[in-house]
Amino acid sequence: DRLFSYLPYDNTPGLWEGIRFFPESAGNSIAWADIHSANTSVRCDSAADLSQPKLTLSATRIHNSAYSALQLEKCRVEAANCLLSNSGRELVAVVDGEARLVHCSLLNFYPFALRDEALVRAWSYLPEAGSAGDAAPSSGDTTRVQLDNCLLSGRANSLSPDTLSAVTKGLY
């Protein structure tokens, strides 16, 4: 079925919730997959050990997400040779975690609504070492985003000022 003559219905964002990796799971891998038309396409929650990736993505296409293509909270994800495209908000959201993307394309030309989010957003709510800690955002170094030889393009903002300080190398 088609939504419009040029648009198959299964490419419409928000048709399903997406894939979620709960805190109990570890050592997950997705390879050669086509994940599309979800709300948040891939979501990872709270890993006990940040030294090992909770999820490894390779040669995977994540397309037309109503919210985020990849959302991480308190975990580590590694992606290589992936395409993340067209999200209603940011393509990659990292909260108190780590993301490393190698040879990935991040393209956001979301045609279904106006958007003003950055391609990549990274922020922290964990307190700095030695502080009392509350729910306010901190300036602690608990979140890391590394983009190695990645292509970034899209409408509106391309990178937020917070993300620019978190990106370590390889913006091309």
Side-chain angles (χ1 to χ4, degrees), residues 12-16 37-41 63-69 86-90 110 112:
T12 305
L15 294 178
W16 61 298
S37 305
N39 280 325
T40 296
S41 292
H63 184 65
N64 282 351
S65 306
Y67 306 119
S68 300
N86 292 356
S87 289
R89 295 189 342 202
E90 62 278 327
Y110 191 73
F112 301 101

Side-chain angles (χ1 to χ4, degrees), residues 90-114:
E90 62 278 327
L91 289 167
V92 179
V94 182
V95 181
D96 296 319
E98 297 180 17
R100 181 172 186 229
L101 286 74
V102 179
H103 302 293
C104 293
S105 296
L106 283 71
L107 311 170
N108 208 351
F109 297 97
Y110 191 73
F112 301 101
L114 294 174

Side-chain angles (χ1 to χ4, degrees), residues 30-44:
I30 297 176
W32 297 98
D34 181 7
I35 303 167
H36 63 274
S37 305
N39 280 325
T40 296
S41 292
V42 178
R43 183 176 178 183
C44 294

Side-chain angles (χ1 to χ4, degrees), residues 37-171:
S37 305
N39 280 325
T40 296
S41 292
V42 178
R43 183 176 178 183
C44 294
D45 293 335
S46 304
D49 179 13
L50 282 180
S51 69
Q52 297 296 317
K54 182 176 189 91
L55 173 64
T56 303
L57 291 166
S58 61
T60 294
R61 177 181 176 239
I62 301 174
H63 184 65
N64 282 351
S65 306
Y67 306 119
S68 300
L70 183 59
Q71 186 179 58
L72 321 174
E73 187 171 338
K74 298 177 188 149
C75 65
R76 181 174 159 202
V77 171
E78 294 182 357
N81 301 313
C82 294
L83 169 64
L84 284 70
S85 59
N86 292 356
S87 289
R89 295 189 342 202
E90 62 278 327
L91 289 167
V92 179
V94 182
V95 181
D96 296 319
E98 297 180 17
R100 181 172 186 229
L101 286 74
V102 179
H103 302 293
C104 293
S105 296
L106 283 71
L107 311 170
N108 208 351
F109 297 97
Y110 191 73
F112 301 101
L114 294 174
R115 54 170 286 282
D116 61 358
E117 298 287 338
L119 291 175
V120 178
R121 281 189 56 204
W123 66 99
S124 180
Y125 284 102
L126 292 177
E128 292 183 62
S131 70
D134 54 65
S138 79
S139 60
D141 190 16
T142 59
T143 302
R144 289 183 176 79
V145 176
Q146 181 174 326
L147 305 172
D148 294 338
N149 201 26
C150 292
L151 172 68
L152 299 131
S153 186
R155 277 193 227 119
N157 301 330
S158 57
L159 285 172
S160 69
D162 294 334
T163 302
L164 285 173
S165 64
V167 172
T168 57
K169 63 179 179 178
L171 289 177

Side-chain angles (χ1 to χ4, degrees), residues 21-32:
F21 296 95
F22 286 93
E24 306 79 45
S25 70
N28 303 289
S29 178
I30 297 176
W32 297 98

